[in-house]
Amino acid sequence: MYLFQNRLVPKSQVAVSPDDRGYYFGDGIYEVFRVYAGVLYEPEAHLERLERTAREVRLPLPCPSAELAARLEELIAANGLKEGTVYMQITRGPAPRSHAFPAHAEPVLMAYCTVLERPAGMMRDGIAAVTMDDIRWLRCDLKTLNLLPNTMAKQYALDRGVSDVILHRSGTVTECSASNVMMVKDGVIRTHPANHLILHGVTRKVVLRLAREADIPVRETAFTVDELRDADEVFITGTTVEVTPVISVDGQPVASGRPGPVTRALQQAFERTIPGL
Ligand code: PLP
């Protein structure tokens, strides 16, 4: 079952107008929630980010976020989802094609569940990554449907036989195609500050809190590609990847080329936050 507007319907009954601004302009916003043991993980943080994005792009949410959460819970129950994700998007709705925001468009909400296991192999063994220019706009903090640069970045990685890219602006590392990136040097975690150049990841926030609770020093200051190459550990964070080690960058191993102790400690701390484990 899908959630379409405020109703649970089969996928075949989700009918969106060709005039929908999401289709013309990517004029919409979205969230991806993790579900563990049938329960939404950190729903407040996701909904807060959705509200912020909606406010910044002046897209009225169809209902208060507490109500959205209740509808998502109904969706999860209707699908019997235990382990997976919920994807939700809200577009500005249908209107004749014109750049200006329409005066009377009604937002269109669509959400569905996907069964997804935790990425055990990747989390255990780590992934390879390549660096790439971050060619995105200057509001990467907004979770909008305009993901063409992110899809191009992911494909750039896959075409080179690796899992993901580590993006940088003139040598300053920002994030990955669909996750945040952190490095460890001399026991200190570094990651780009949560400003307009990165998405403020919910997992990033959880991991930084766990690090501080474990007395691991954290510096939210940007680092360069050169510093990344010299890191003791590198890992990415995200709703589906959780805490995944990066073991090589541009074909060169990160330190020993094996996941490091800080990454392992954070993976274990993160697991302890997962309901039902
Ligand atoms: N950065 C980008 C560009 C993303 O698309 C995502 C998630 O989709 C993240 C970071 C990680 O955010 P979260 O931890 O909330 O999944």
Side-chain angles (χ1 to χ4, degrees), residues 61-192:
L61 290 181
C63 63
S65 63
E67 212 173 296
L68 278 180
R71 287 184 197 171
L72 295 182
E73 280 161 14
E74 283 166 25
L75 176 72
I76 291 166
N79 286 282
L81 181 71
K82 294 285 172 253
E83 189 81 16
T85 56
V86 173
Y87 175 83
M88 176 176 70
Q89 72 169 39
I90 303 166
T91 65
R92 203 178 301 273
R97 188 182 182 282
S98 162
H99 285 55
F101 289 170
H104 301 296
E106 191 192 336
V108 175
L109 181 151
M110 185 271 290
Y112 62 85
C113 298
T114 304
V115 176
L116 187 73
E117 282 181 13
R118 300 179 58 216
M122 261 174 47
M123 292 193 296
R124 184 189 59 232
D125 301 335
I127 59 164
V130 288
T131 56
M132 181 189 173
D133 258 345
D134 189 344
I135 58 163
R136 299 173 302 162
W137 70 334
L138 296 174
R139 290 307 306 271
C140 296
D141 54 320
L142 303 180
K143 205 160 169 66
T144 78
L145 298 182
N146 290 269
L147 291 176
L148 190 56
N150 303 60
T151 64
M152 288 169 69
K154 179 71 173 182
Q155 195 57 44
Y156 179 89
L158 297 180
D159 289 348
R160 281 153 187 79
V162 300
S163 303
D164 211 341
V165 293
I166 296 178
L167 301 171
H168 65 88
R169 290 192 193 260
S170 306
T172 298
V173 172
T174 50
E175 59 179 338
C176 301
S177 71
S179 55
N180 293 111
V181 62
M182 305 194 184
M183 62 164 267
V184 182
K185 185 68 185 174
D186 299 329
V188 180
I189 296 174
R190 301 218 6 224
T191 194
H192 198 284

Side-chain angles (χ1 to χ4, degrees), residues 17-65:
S17 164
D19 271 340
D20 194 285
R21 288 179 60 96
Y23 189 37
Y24 282 137
F25 299 114
D27 186 355
I29 66 179
Y30 76 106
E31 272 298 327
V32 182
F33 300 77
R34 194 71 168 90
V35 175
Y36 295 114
V39 179
L40 286 169
Y41 183 76
E42 295 280 333
E44 296 83 9
H46 283 281
L47 289 166
E48 215 173 274
R49 184 169 66 189
L50 182 80
E51 281 178 343
R52 177 170 179 274
T53 297
R55 210 168 39 243
E56 292 287 312
V57 304
R58 295 166 54 193
L59 194 161
L61 290 181
C63 63
S65 63

Side-chain angles (χ1 to χ4, degrees), residues 11 13-14 34 51-52 80 84 96 102 140 153 167 175 181 235 247 250 266 272 274:
K11 185 178 182 182
Q13 288 181 24
V14 175
R34 194 71 168 90
E51 281 178 343
R52 177 170 179 274
C140 296
L167 301 171
E175 59 179 338
V181 62
F235 59 91
I247 55 166
D250 294 332
L266 290 170
R272 288 193 286 273
I274 296 178

